[in-house]
Amino acid sequence: MRYSRRTRNWPSRRVPLLEVTIECELEENVRRLAAESRVAHRKLRDAGVLRRIRDEVVLLRPDVPHRLELDTTDMSPERAAAEIVAAAWPLMSEEA
């Protein structure tokens, strides 16, 4: 598996890394994809492409000490952000 240079070298930066994987059910993903607000940001809106990506791409889950897997199917963006902050906050005081 290929990771970005930043991810590969994170231990040398001597800071904790929180690996966050955000997922949601396919039907909800397709519903969100249709949001008009995605146009202004040039985000993917083609449900066929999304389905192909979800069928063919495997999410990388590196072996790191701190991981959060978040299913946002029934979660607002604000709640998802709060969950991430809650998971990251204790790491802010850890010494690497």
Side-chain angles (χ1 to χ4, degrees):
M1 289 184 214
R2 183 173 168 230
Y3 301 106
S4 75
R5 190 182 84 230
R6 287 184 184 172
T7 303
R8 266 195 329 269
N9 295 332
W10 75 265
S12 66
R13 298 185 68 191
R14 302 187 55 76
V15 295
L17 170 70
L18 174 63
E19 175 71 24
V20 179
T21 303
I22 299 174
E23 298 182 279
C24 71
E25 292 177 4
L26 177 59
E27 297 78 21
E28 177 63 11
N29 206 172
V30 169
R31 187 192 71 74
R32 293 176 185 179
L33 200 69
E36 194 62 35
S37 62
R38 296 179 66 84
V39 173
H41 300 288
R42 301 180 60 114
K43 291 184 175 183
L44 177 66
R45 295 194 66 220
D46 185 322
V49 171
L50 171 69
R51 290 176 196 281
R52 209 167 36 253
I53 291 169
R54 288 184 59 131
D55 285 343
E56 297 173 7
V57 174
V58 176
L59 290 177
L60 300 178
R61 289 181 164 85
D63 184 21
V64 295
H66 307 289
R67 293 187 41 78
L68 173 63
E69 293 194 16
L70 197 56
D71 182 342
T72 63
T73 300
D74 299 313
M75 195 178 290
S76 70
E78 294 80 13
R79 179 67 187 161
E83 294 281 336
I84 294 167
V85 168
W89 193 257
L91 303 178
M92 302 295 278
S93 62
E94 279 190 13
E95 292 187 29

